[in-house]
Amino acid sequence: QVQLVESGGGSVQAGGSLRLSCVVSRYTYTYLNYCMGWFRQAPGKEREGVTVISKDGARRYDDAVKGRFFFSKDNAKNTLYLQMDSLKPEDTAMYYCAAAWKGPEGCSEYNYWGQGTQVTVSS
């Protein structure tokens, strides 16, 4: 069972930065065997991938965040991060850390989710 706990959300003005954290249970096993990603869901909209591992094993970023958001990890702290710079009002959403089993043909469906952390960007 994969457990994910996000934190770091908050309210910020446009142009500001936030860093989201995701503490991962059984970190080494999970990171080796699961694809890790960040998703977000704005009110009235479907959940969308912010950064995910694609079928070819490469990390991809949604076009809307490319060059502004960056995935990183700290193995010593069992933690994944999403650094968000140059934030825009349209980045306002609940942000989720997620995991998908890393099968022989790539990442399966992302089906392990944290509780989410709210990000609100004001203009």
Side-chain angles (χ1 to χ4, degrees):
Q1 185 77 6
V2 177
Q3 294 183 326
L4 309 167
V5 179
E6 304 98 330
S7 62
S11 297
V12 64
Q13 288 193 326
S17 297
L18 283 173
R19 188 178 73 164
L20 306 184
S21 300
C22 173
V23 177
V24 181
S25 66
R26 302 170 66 201
Y27 177 85
T28 300
Y29 172 84
T30 301
Y31 199 79
L32 286 175
N33 292 282
Y34 288 81
C35 301
M36 306 303 298
W38 285 93
F39 290 73
R40 66 184 181 185
Q41 187 168 20
K45 294 187 177 181
E46 292 188 356
R47 187 160 50 194
E48 61 181 8
V50 174
T51 177
V52 298
I53 301 293
S54 61
K55 286 287 186 182
D56 63 2
R59 177 160 298 281
R60 307 291 183 189
Y61 292 85
D62 184 81
D63 287 343
V65 307
K66 204 172 293 183
R68 300 187 298 121
F69 289 15
F70 303 95
F71 175 93
S72 66
K73 59 186 178 70
D74 185 334
N75 296 337
K77 295 183 178 181
N78 298 344
T79 302
L80 310 176
Y81 299 100
L82 182 67
Q83 177 67 40
M84 307 187 296
D85 297 327
S86 302
L87 282 161
K88 304 175 181 180
E90 51 264 43
D91 295 320
T92 295
M94 185 72 79
Y95 283 73
Y96 299 90
C97 182
W101 177 254
K102 195 180 297 182
E105 296 184 353
C107 305
S108 63
E109 180 180 353
Y110 282 85
N111 58 358
Y112 290 98
W113 300 88
Q115 82 289 352
T117 185
Q118 177 68 38
V119 172
T120 303
V121 184
S122 58
S123 57

